[in-house]
Amino acid sequence: MEFLSRRRKLNTNSQTEAYGHALQFYGQPPLENISLSEFETFAVDRLKLLKTIENLGVSYVKQSDQYIKKLESESKMLNFPYRSDMDDRKSQSGPSEYEKRRKDHISHFILRLAYCQTEDLRRWFIQQEVDLFRYRFNDLQPKQKLEFLHRNNLQYDTIGVEEKKTLLDKLVNSSYAVSGITVEDQDFYKVPFQDALDLVRMRKVYLKAGYVYIPHQDIVTIVLNDFRTRLSKALALTARSLPAVHSDERLQPLLNHLSHAYVGQDYSIQKNVGKISLEQIDSLSGKSFPLCMRQLHQALRDNHHLRHGGRMQYGLFLKGIGLSLEQALQFWRSEFIRGKVDADKFDKAYAYSIRHMFGKEGKRTDYTPYSCMKVILSNPPSQGDHHGCPFRHSDPELLKQKLQFYKVSPSGISQILELVKGMHYQLACQKYFELTHNVEDANFSLNHPNQYFIESQKLLGGGKDIKREIDTPQRSQENSAARGSTAAREAAASQNLVEMTEELDSFFQDA
């Protein structure tokens, strides 16, 4: 992609060919020239859209009416495609549908550059893009879905009326949420079974002679798997081109800033040190710890030991709420020596890892407390472990017992288990927050255990201190943005870059 002060216009035929369809797999990168200003605007707007998708995903059930309505509203406000046709391409007010699709295409590839750098960034970017793709695919008409499949070499065809009648009983018995009446009204796709192994494994489809028959509401599973695979491979290839991109002094500051923006608040900054005493931890664990940290604290008190995964997850959380290195060493030592570890063994085998966690040993990396996504998606617990997300990794019956032990009401437990069944783990944790704090609506989108703690302390009357804790990382982000802007100016980047990064800072501090 080249970036010049003026964009070369494509002729009408090529425009129609490139953006004549409502949805794409982003297989071909854009080849036109765009201005640096347009580059910046497109990148920030798409990041706002993806951040909205992340927040909606932990506030509402995905694909629910509220979720779809709010995502459509945000897409419209940011001038991204939000309808599956091009009826408004001649609109006199605002950009045409073609221009929205062009923006969608280019902005996707810009964020690939920013989010291909690390595994965490790739994981976050893929998840939000997959959710956006699902929303758009489900909005297509049946004919458009079939056209999309064929256009992308997914040669799946719908079965005819006669074949549907012949297989009626089989389709009803094997397909979830399908009855004899609904079979007549919906399309079924005939797909090679190797392309639908997840559905076969879950026994959600009828299998015959090497083909599965998939109801239209489930074909999205196949398409999403294909999209996720393609995007994952594409990000790996993009990472190889990073040295050439970073050599452009105009782009590097913006791309670096974009790649850090999704994280939101930085809970690793130790400006709230000393606000939590060791004597308060037991009390706080019952009032303000999320369930994942509460179970780790309880396991530590019961067993006087945690394995490495638990020590990392809980230790970084405690660091984030304000424990100093000295307090952390005292806390872990006092607990471990109550078990089978004496003080000498603790100093030799465990103290180093705690200092390492605080950036005082090894590479001097100042580790960040784990986000909900990291806890849910990485390093699942095995037998004898206590880390992980209890809503994701606990057996439903065991989770029910834990919630009963913590005096969650039977109706509340049912609501939580229903969310867990639908794999809405962060929503389940947010519901746990509302039930244990006796509030109707938490009024925030939960994505971090330390965020849970801060919001709990606000609600319980700790607002003043917590406010200072929140302000500090924001000031650090602003200082970081200022340093990035200075570097950009020194590299002869435009003043517009400074304005855009400041706008980005403002958005994510408020998000």
Side-chain angles (χ1 to χ4, degrees), residues 25-26 108 112 115-119 121-123 125-127 129-130 224-240:
F25 269 148
Y26 305 105
H108 170 86
R112 276 192 190 182
Y115 282 81
C116 68
Q117 300 177 47
T118 68
E119 182 184 347
L121 291 175
R122 289 192 292 269
R123 183 189 298 126
F125 180 68
I126 289 172
Q127 184 59 55
E129 286 285 344
V130 165
L224 287 176
N225 285 342
D226 197 293
F227 178 64
R228 185 187 295 272
T229 300
R230 294 185 190 210
L231 183 54
S232 181
K233 290 179 179 177
L235 287 172
L237 291 173
T238 305
R240 298 180 188 176

Side-chain angles (χ1 to χ4, degrees), residues 75-235:
S75 296
K76 186 176 182 180
M77 185 177 71
L78 293 171
N79 293 321
F80 281 102
Y82 62 95
R83 58 179 59 181
S84 59
D85 54 49
M86 289 189 72
D87 289 345
D88 68 340
R89 62 184 180 275
K90 296 181 180 179
S91 173
Q92 297 298 315
S93 60
S96 67
E97 191 67 15
Y98 159 77
E99 290 169 330
K100 293 174 184 177
R101 292 177 183 180
R102 173 180 169 272
K103 176 180 181 178
D104 177 69
H105 183 217
I106 295 173
S107 64
H108 170 86
F109 277 89
I110 294 172
L111 289 198
R112 276 192 190 182
L113 295 174
Y115 282 81
C116 68
Q117 300 177 47
T118 68
E119 182 184 347
D120 283 346
L121 291 175
R122 289 192 292 269
R123 183 189 298 126
W124 183 88
F125 180 68
I126 289 172
Q127 184 59 55
Q128 311 322 315
E129 286 285 344
V130 165
D131 286 345
L132 176 60
F133 187 93
R134 179 192 290 112
Y135 156 73
R136 290 173 172 173
F137 184 83
N138 286 334
D139 189 51
L140 296 178
Q141 299 299 318
K143 182 180 178 181
Q144 290 174 313
K145 289 181 180 179
L146 199 58
E147 289 175 353
F148 176 83
L149 295 176
H150 289 175
R151 195 170 67 249
N152 289 280
N153 297 318
L154 300 172
Q155 300 298 328
Y156 309 145
D157 290 306
T158 54
I159 62 175
V161 176
E162 291 302 319
E163 189 175 4
K164 196 186 294 184
K165 287 181 179 178
T166 304
L167 299 173
L168 179 63
D169 291 340
K170 303 290 186 182
L171 296 176
V172 171
N173 293 332
S174 60
S175 300
Y176 176 74
V178 170
S179 65
I181 299 174
T182 58
V183 164
E184 298 178 6
D185 298 331
Q186 65 180 289
D187 291 322
F188 278 77
Y189 294 85
K190 189 175 181 180
V191 177
F193 84 94
Q194 64 268 24
D195 291 349
L197 293 178
D198 286 343
L199 295 175
V200 173
R201 188 182 299 114
M202 293 185 286
R203 301 185 179 186
K204 294 182 65 176
V205 289
Y206 175 55
L207 173 63
K208 178 185 176 183
Y211 288 89
V212 291
Y213 294 80
I214 303 177
H216 77 95
Q217 70 265 25
D218 286 334
I219 193 66
V220 65
T221 303
I222 311 297
V223 181
L224 287 176
N225 285 342
D226 197 293
F227 178 64
R228 185 187 295 272
T229 300
R230 294 185 190 210
L231 183 54
S232 181
K233 290 179 179 177
L235 287 172

Side-chain angles (χ1 to χ4, degrees), residues 335-450:
E335 196 59 50
F336 272 45
I337 61 176
R338 292 181 185 177
K340 299 178 181 179
V341 178
D342 59 34
D344 187 53
K345 183 177 179 182
F346 178 88
D347 290 338
K348 290 179 179 178
Y350 298 100
Y352 176 90
S353 64
I354 296 170
R355 291 195 299 271
H356 192 274
M357 193 186 300
F358 279 76
K360 304 301 182 184
E361 300 285 358
K363 295 180 181 178
R364 309 280 175 175
T365 301
D366 195 13
Y367 288 92
T368 302
Y370 292 171
S371 66
C372 290
M373 286 296 287
K374 186 173 179 67
V375 172
I376 290 169
L377 295 175
S378 62
N379 190 24
S382 56
Q383 188 173 4
D385 286 329
H386 299 280
H387 66 273
C389 171
F391 302 104
R392 167 65 179 88
H393 298 118
S394 290
D395 177 80
E397 189 58 38
L398 181 59
L399 176 60
K400 182 179 178 181
Q401 292 175 16
K402 286 180 185 176
L403 295 172
Q404 289 172 337
F405 181 76
Y406 291 133
K407 296 182 172 52
V408 177
S409 66
S411 63
I413 292 174
S414 297
Q415 293 177 64
I416 290 173
L417 292 178
E418 193 62 31
L419 289 167
V420 169
K421 186 178 179 182
M423 297 187 291
H424 307 295
Y425 309 118
Q426 287 165 267
L427 274 179
C429 190
Q430 192 156 319
K431 176 58 67 175
Y432 172 78
F433 179 97
E434 293 166 358
L435 292 167
T436 54
H437 290 78
N438 197 27
V439 293
E440 289 291 328
D441 188 350
N443 288 321
F444 65 89
S445 297
L446 181 65
N447 52 41
H448 204 292
N450 289 77

